[in-house]
DNA sequence: TTGGTATATCGAGAAAAGTCGATATATATT
DNA sequence: AATATATATCGACTTTTCTCGATATACCAA
């Protein structure tokens, strides 16, 4: 876990919003539901993109970045990729900051 | 407290190091001591600059940034400015991340 | 296999951050 | 007042980040 890369990932308004939205998908994405019927698999790129107002390519890259640093997990199901918070990693980050910072 | 600005301030190797060094000045700056004789007032810009290897202007700006976002406090004594961790703010950040992130 | 939809990647331009040397300001000393 | 030291600010250049449109890839349906 590279602390600097983690903080860089968090140093962006949209990426922070995405992490907030993924905390409570049913609240933040009330109109959508997982196309594959599996619950708790996360939210697909398109829904996040529409809510963000940024372009598809930007959001795809942002999610890929959040995934690279381990803050979210990604699951491909058919043509959709579902992104979901990695609560373990996020909790560890909180501890990391509380203890080492 | 703007979260994004906070994370930006932390998204830099040197600034993270400075925060670490200020956690234990006697350990990280064994050769130096506060010129004004007051203990626990912090470490002056010059000492931090020498340890960092970067230029005076860069470190001055970094410390000013850390101060602006509230992570350190600054005390001017004569021609020196002493910077010191703001433990309250840092602890709050840990909580902020653990609770809202 | 052809076309449609979802996501990822590429290339580019604009904006921000990193970093420096030079200079300005503040303070202390003589 | 003149000089010396510590810190802050300025201007410039380089590198990184933000963001987009265009294109490529993956998958599905007919």
């Amino acid at each position: 876990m590279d602390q600097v890369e983690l903080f860089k990932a968090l140093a962006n308004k949209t990426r922070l919003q995405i992490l907030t939205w993924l905390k409570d998908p049913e609240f933040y994405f009330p109109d959508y539901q997982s196309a594959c019927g599996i619950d708790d698999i996360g939210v697909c790129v398109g829904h996040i993109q529409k809510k963000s107002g940024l372009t598809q390519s930007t959001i795809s890259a942002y999610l890929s970045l959040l995934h690279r640093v381990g803050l979210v997990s990604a699951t491909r199901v058919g043509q959709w990729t579902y992104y979901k918070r990695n609560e373990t990693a996020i909790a560890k980050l909180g501890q990391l900051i509380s203890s080492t910072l």
Side-chain angles (χ1 to χ4, degrees), chain A:
Chain A
M1 264 232 240
D2 181 344
Q3 277 192 71
V4 173
E5 291 310 308
L6 261 171
F7 286 130
K8 277 188 185 174
L10 296 171
N12 176 278
K13 186 164 144 260
T14 303
R15 289 192 296 263
L16 280 181
Q17 282 181 323
I18 291 172
L19 287 176
T20 300
W21 296 338
L22 293 183
K23 258 173 96 169
D24 191 350
E26 275 152 40
F27 177 76
Y28 289 106
F29 303 91
D31 302 336
Y32 306 117
Q33 60 206 32
S34 150
C36 70
I38 304 173
D39 208 24
D40 247 16
I41 196 181
V43 180
C44 69
V45 181
H47 296 165
I48 298 171
Q49 185 264 315
K50 281 187 199 72
K51 193 170 176 66
S52 75
L54 298 183
T55 62
Q56 190 272 325
S57 70
T58 297
I59 295 306
S60 175
Y62 279 7
L63 288 168
S64 164
L65 166 58
L66 291 172
H67 184 235
R68 185 160 5 101
V69 301
L71 290 168
V72 301
S73 64
T75 310
R76 182 104 197 192
V77 177
Q79 46 200 329
W80 292 276
T81 304
Y82 294 92
Y83 284 94
K84 185 171 172 325
R85 282 165 61 98
N86 182 343
E87 296 294 353
T88 308
I90 293 173
K92 271 188 188 146
L93 175 64
Q95 290 176 270
L96 181 82
I97 288 167
S98 293
S99 64
T100 82
L101 196 70

